[in-house]
Coordinates of all heavy atoms in Angstrom, one line a residue:
D74 N 301.1 144.0 -12.8 CA 300.8 142.8 -13.5 C 299.3 142.6 -13.9 O 298.9 141.5 -13.9 CB 301.4 141.6 -12.8 CG 302.9 141.7 -12.5 OD1 303.6 142.3 -13.3 OD2 303.3 141.3 -11.4
E75 N 298.7 143.6 -14.0 CA 297.2 143.5 -14.4 C 296.9 143.1 -15.9 O 295.8 142.9 -16.2 CB 296.5 144.8 -14.1 CG 296.5 145.3 -12.7 CD 297.7 146.2 -12.3 OE1 298.6 146.2 -13.1 OE2 297.7 146.8 -11.2
G76 N 298.0 143.2 -16.6 CA 297.9 143.0 -18.1 C 298.0 144.3 -18.8 O 297.4 144.4 -20.0
K77 N 298.7 145.2 -18.3 CA 298.8 146.6 -18.9 C 299.5 146.5 -20.4 O 299.1 147.1 -21.3 CB 299.7 147.5 -18.1 CG 299.0 147.8 -16.8 CD 299.9 148.7 -15.9 CE 301.2 148.0 -15.5 NZ 301.0 146.9 -14.5
G78 N 300.5 145.6 -20.4 CA 301.2 145.5 -21.6 C 300.4 144.9 -22.8 O 300.3 145.6 -23.8
K79 N 299.5 144.1 -22.5 CA 298.6 143.6 -23.5 C 297.7 144.7 -24.0 O 297.4 144.9 -25.2 CB 297.8 142.3 -23.0 CG 296.7 142.1 -24.1 CD 295.8 140.9 -23.8 CE 294.5 141.1 -24.7 NZ 293.8 140.0 -24.9
G101 N 307.6 144.5 -15.9 CA 307.7 143.4 -16.9 C 306.4 143.3 -17.5 O 305.4 142.9 -16.9
H102 N 306.3 143.8 -18.8 CA 305.0 143.8 -19.5 C 305.0 142.8 -20.6 O 305.9 142.9 -21.6 CB 304.7 145.2 -20.1 CG 304.7 146.2 -19.0 ND1 304.6 147.6 -19.3 CD2 304.6 146.2 -17.6 CE1 304.6 148.3 -18.2 NE2 304.5 147.5 -17.2
T103 N 304.2 141.8 -20.6 CA 304.2 140.7 -21.6 C 303.1 141.0 -22.7 O 302.0 141.2 -22.4 CB 303.9 139.3 -20.9 OG1 304.9 139.3 -19.8 CG2 304.1 138.2 -21.8
V105 N 301.6 139.1 -26.3 CA 301.8 137.9 -27.1 C 301.2 138.2 -28.5 O 300.1 138.8 -28.6 CB 301.0 136.8 -26.5 CG1 300.9 135.5 -27.3 CG2 301.4 136.5 -25.1
R366 N 303.6 134.7 -8.1 CA 302.8 135.8 -7.7 C 301.8 135.3 -6.6 O 301.3 134.2 -6.8 CB 302.1 136.5 -8.8 CG 303.0 137.2 -9.8 CD 302.2 137.7 -11.0 NE 303.0 138.3 -11.9 CZ 302.8 138.3 -13.3 NH1 301.7 137.8 -13.8 NH2 303.6 138.9 -14.2
K392 N 292.1 138.8 -17.9 CA 292.2 137.5 -17.4 C 290.9 136.9 -16.8 O 291.0 136.1 -15.8 CB 293.4 137.4 -16.4 CG 294.6 138.0 -16.9 CD 295.9 137.7 -16.0 CE 296.5 136.4 -16.4 NZ 297.9 136.2 -15.9
D394 N 289.2 134.8 -18.2 CA 289.2 133.4 -18.6 C 289.8 132.5 -17.5 O 289.5 131.3 -17.4 CB 289.9 133.2 -19.9 CG 291.4 133.8 -19.8 OD1 291.4 135.0 -19.6 OD2 292.3 133.0 -19.9
V395 N 290.6 133.1 -16.7 CA 291.3 132.3 -15.7 C 290.3 131.8 -14.6 O 290.5 130.8 -14.0 CB 292.4 133.1 -15.0 CG1 293.1 132.4 -13.8 CG2 293.5 133.6 -16.1
S474 N 289.4 141.2 -21.5 CA 290.4 140.4 -22.0 C 290.1 138.9 -21.6 O 290.0 138.7 -20.4 CB 291.8 140.8 -21.6 OG 292.8 139.9 -22.1
V475 N 290.2 138.0 -22.5 CA 289.8 136.6 -22.3 C 291.0 135.7 -22.7 O 290.8 134.5 -22.7 CB 288.5 136.2 -22.9 CG1 287.3 136.9 -22.3 CG2 288.5 136.4 -24.4
G476 N 292.1 136.3 -22.9 CA 293.4 135.4 -23.1 C 294.5 136.4 -23.4 O 294.2 137.6 -23.6
P477 N 295.7 135.9 -23.5 CA 296.8 136.8 -23.7 C 297.0 137.3 -25.1 O 297.6 138.3 -25.4 CB 298.1 135.8 -23.4 CG 297.6 134.5 -23.4 CD 296.1 134.5 -23.2
Ligands
GDP57 P1 301.6 144.0 -16.9 O1 302.9 144.0 -16.0 O2 300.5 144.7 -16.3 O3 301.9 144.3 -18.3 O4 301.2 142.4 -16.8 P2 302.1 141.2 -17.1 O5 302.5 141.1 -18.5 O6 303.3 141.2 -16.0 O7 301.2 140.0 -16.6 C1 300.1 139.7 -17.3 C2 300.2 138.3 -17.9 O8 298.9 137.7 -18.2 C3 301.1 138.2 -19.2 O9 301.7 137.0 -19.1 C4 300.0 138.3 -20.3 O10 300.4 137.6 -21.4 C5 298.9 137.5 -19.7 N1 297.5 137.9 -20.0 C6 297.1 139.2 -20.3 N2 295.7 139.2 -20.5 C7 295.4 138.0 -20.3 C8 294.0 137.5 -20.3 O11 293.0 138.0 -20.5 N3 294.0 136.0 -20.0 C9 295.1 135.3 -19.8 N4 294.9 134.0 -19.6 N5 296.3 135.9 -19.8 C10 296.3 137.2 -20.0

Side-chain angles (χ1 to χ4, degrees):
D74 302 326
E75 297 89 350
K77 299 174 292 293
K79 169 180 167 166
H102 299 170
T103 309
V105 180
R366 294 175 183 152
K392 305 193 88 159
D394 55 298
V395 177
S474 175
V475 293

